Amino acid sequence: MTPTRKQAIIRRVKDITLGTTLSLALLNGSVLLQSCSSNNDDDEYSESEGRPSESFKKGVRTFITETAPGTFKITDEQQVGPDKAGAVVNYYDGHRDTLSVAAAQALVKNDPSTSQYFNNRSNYGQHHSNGLANVLLWGGLGYMLGRRGGSSFDDRRYSQGVYSNPSVYARSSQIGQEVSRSRVVTSRPRSSRGGFFGRGRSGGFSS
């Protein structure tokens, strides 16, 4: 075999090897991207699907006064549209704050005392106080914050204790019940998956 012929064969072998290596790299990259995409889709599905959402046709605006440092009482509640719901808080030092439903919900779900109601309700009683988070939870606005209606002795006792007097409690109880009854829960079923390069989505919204 001549040197020229031998070199040509060596170059061709190198070209074939390089081409094969490049093809494998591209194929592996494609598989990796597909895997990542699948994992991300799984995360998206697990976070956004199969979870019910809730809304309210009626809302409540709660007026709260700090009667002593760290002690709060509900002085009035008004039924309003859900877009105007929230709390107006008058503090002991004279300043005022307005809480949206989202801000009030974040407070009650993160405060060390009221978070027990959502995470370990049987252990809630020993954490109950007259702090702002507890007043928000047990007033009429509490139904919009994740509290469920109940007729137990504890539910009535906690609710009565956050109002400034029995007449305010009696008037507000009716408002709270109407807000609770106006809750609309919408379920979002998980979508079916199919196909190799994609997946179909089926199902819809149902209340």
Side-chain angles (χ1 to χ4, degrees):
M1 181 181 295
T2 64
T4 301
R5 175 71 171 169
K6 184 176 182 180
Q7 290 176 0
I9 294 175
I10 292 174
R11 280 199 302 270
R12 181 164 180 77
V13 170
K14 288 183 177 179
D15 290 342
I16 294 173
T17 303
L18 179 60
T20 303
T21 303
L22 182 58
S23 298
L24 288 174
L26 291 174
L27 180 60
N28 288 338
S30 176
V31 172
L32 179 60
L33 287 174
Q34 184 177 355
S35 175
C36 290
S37 175
S38 177
N39 289 338
N40 289 338
D41 288 343
D42 289 343
D43 292 342
E44 180 184 353
Y45 265 60
S46 63
E47 290 177 2
S48 64
E49 296 191 7
R51 293 184 179 181
S53 61
E54 65 178 26
S55 59
F56 292 82
K57 294 181 178 179
K58 297 180 180 180
V60 58
R61 193 164 182 82
T62 300
F63 295 86
I64 301 172
T65 299
E66 187 178 20
T67 58
T71 299
F72 295 82
K73 293 288 183 180
I74 295 175
T75 56
D76 191 21
E77 283 189 326
Q78 301 172 358
Q79 184 172 303
V80 296
D83 59 324
K84 297 186 181 303
V88 178
V89 185
N90 294 291
Y91 291 89
Y92 192 72
D93 63 5
H95 82 279
R96 173 181 289 193
D97 194 12
T98 301
L99 300 176
S100 64
V101 173
Q105 187 176 62
L107 177 60
V108 300
K109 289 195 173 182
N110 289 284
D111 186 274
S113 60
T114 47
S115 64
Q116 293 292 325
Y117 176 85
F118 300 99
N119 300 326
N120 184 11
R121 188 168 181 181
S122 63
N123 194 38
Y124 166 75
Q126 59 185 305
H127 297 275
H128 177 72
S129 69
N130 289 320
L132 179 58
N134 283 274
V135 171
L136 288 168
L137 178 63
W138 293 103
L141 188 63
Y143 294 113
M144 302 184 75
L145 308 181
R147 176 178 144 222
R148 293 295 176 258
S151 58
S152 69
F153 172 75
D154 282 343
D155 286 341
R156 292 194 300 272
R157 175 167 62 94
Y158 292 144
S159 294
Q160 289 175 348
V162 302
Y163 289 90
S164 58
N165 59 64
S167 62
V168 175
Y169 168 71
R171 184 174 67 253
S172 297
S173 293
Q174 182 63 32
I175 294 176
Q177 290 172 12
E178 292 184 10
V179 170
S180 178
R181 286 194 293 265
S182 76
R183 178 188 286 113
V184 177
V185 179
T186 304
S187 61
R188 184 178 296 135
R190 291 185 179 277
S191 298
S192 62
R193 308 182 185 187
F196 181 79
F197 293 101
R199 60 191 176 191
R201 296 193 175 210
S202 64
F205 293 93
S206 60
S207 57

